[in-house]
Amino acid sequence: MLTKTIRVSIIEDDEWIRENLATQIARKEGFACARCYGSGEAALHEILQDVPDVVLVDINLPKMNGIECVRKLKAVIPGVLILMLTAYEDSDKIFKSLLAGASGYLLKRTPQNEILQAIADVHRGNSPMTGHIARKVVQYFNQRGVTENEIEKLSNREREVLDRLAEGIPYKEIADTLSLSIDTVRMHIKGIYSKLHVHSRGEAVAKYLLK
């Protein structure tokens, strides 16, 4: 069975880091580097010419910062998956990135094999993040409150899909378990995000667990 090549774009202002990541990705079977950008502005201007599956975004971009870049990328390409790149585990910025629509984050010092694994994981529907960051997302929704009306809007099938998202099951396995196509699963997830007024898996699961 053929495995889909994961196409990755990189938004990073440090040229050495950007080129090093691009080289690592291009050398690994099953991965391809789509395009690299030195700023969020450049990415937003050109990314529709070569749409990737996963985008690595530096959290501390100049001018337009990484958090704003994520928000605008998700508006332009709602289905794109985003991993934040950060030199330090800055909980506040990472948290804000997740709320903007990122699916997880990576420290820039992460070993090469773990970077590639995280890209593969997020492509499968997982959300790489440490426990204390995940708890911060849950606490955010706990403080904000979750209306039962939002949960009641979900169809039975959407609840089945969300149950499995909450268990950390990748999209492909959800599709197999529920006898659905991967595209149908993605359609249900899009509906879930819309009804719960969220932009990422982490947000959706946090709201659901706090119902």
Side-chain angles (χ1 to χ4, degrees):
M1 185 176 71
L2 293 175
T3 301
K4 183 183 185 297
T5 296
I6 303 172
R7 303 184 70 259
V8 184
S9 283
I10 302 165
I11 308 175
E12 164 65 64
D13 65 306
D14 186 302
E15 184 178 0
W16 186 89
I17 293 175
R18 188 171 67 242
E19 292 185 358
N20 186 49
L21 282 169
T23 300
Q24 291 178 27
I25 292 166
R27 285 177 176 170
K28 182 68 174 178
E29 184 178 357
F31 295 80
C33 192
R35 292 194 183 188
C36 296
Y37 308 96
S39 69
E41 291 86 349
L44 288 163
H45 182 67
E46 300 175 17
I47 201 163
L48 286 177
Q49 298 173 23
D50 193 0
V51 177
D53 301 304
V54 179
V55 186
L56 305 183
V57 180
D58 179 12
I59 208 165
N60 287 317
L61 291 169
K63 296 183 181 179
M64 180 194 301
N65 65 41
I67 298 165
E68 184 63 20
C69 182
V70 169
R71 190 174 291 112
K72 291 186 176 182
L73 281 172
K74 294 295 284 188
V76 174
I77 317 171
V80 75
L81 299 165
I82 300 171
L83 280 172
M84 305 309 294
L85 291 170
T86 177
Y88 304 101
E89 199 168 286
D90 184 325
S91 297
D92 187 54
K93 286 185 178 179
I94 293 167
F95 170 64
K96 288 178 180 177
S97 298
L98 295 172
L99 294 185
S103 294
Y105 73 94
L106 287 168
L107 293 177
K108 292 183 181 181
R109 63 177 180 271
T110 301
Q112 174 184 337
N113 63 320
E114 293 181 24
I115 289 176
L116 294 169
Q117 185 59 55
I119 292 170
D121 285 346
V122 78
H123 188 253
R124 285 196 296 265
N126 297 327
S127 299
M129 68 182 79
T130 55
H132 78 274
I133 295 293
R135 285 193 296 274
K136 191 161 182 162
V137 175
V138 172
Q139 287 166 3
Y140 168 80
F141 284 110
N142 197 25
Q143 291 165 1
R144 199 178 75 169
V146 181
T147 66
E148 190 63 29
N149 281 342
E150 289 178 327
I151 302 301
E152 289 175 352
K153 288 178 182 177
L154 300 177
S155 68
N156 289 336
R157 181 62 90 185
E158 286 170 341
R159 289 183 186 228
E160 288 178 334
V161 170
L162 191 47
D163 276 333
R164 286 156 178 81
L165 285 177
E167 293 170 8
I169 299 174
Y171 292 177
K172 180 64 170 63
E173 289 183 30
I174 294 174
D176 293 342
T177 302
L178 299 178
S179 300
L180 301 172
S181 71
I182 190 73
D183 287 338
T184 300
V185 169
R186 292 185 188 280
M187 179 192 71
H188 285 311
I189 290 170
K190 185 176 180 180
I192 291 166
Y193 286 6
S194 175
K195 291 176 183 179
L196 295 186
H197 303 103
V198 299
H199 301 92
S200 69
R201 179 180 184 143
E203 288 182 280
V205 169
K207 270 200 170 185
Y208 191 54
L209 294 177
L210 291 166
K211 66 183 184 292

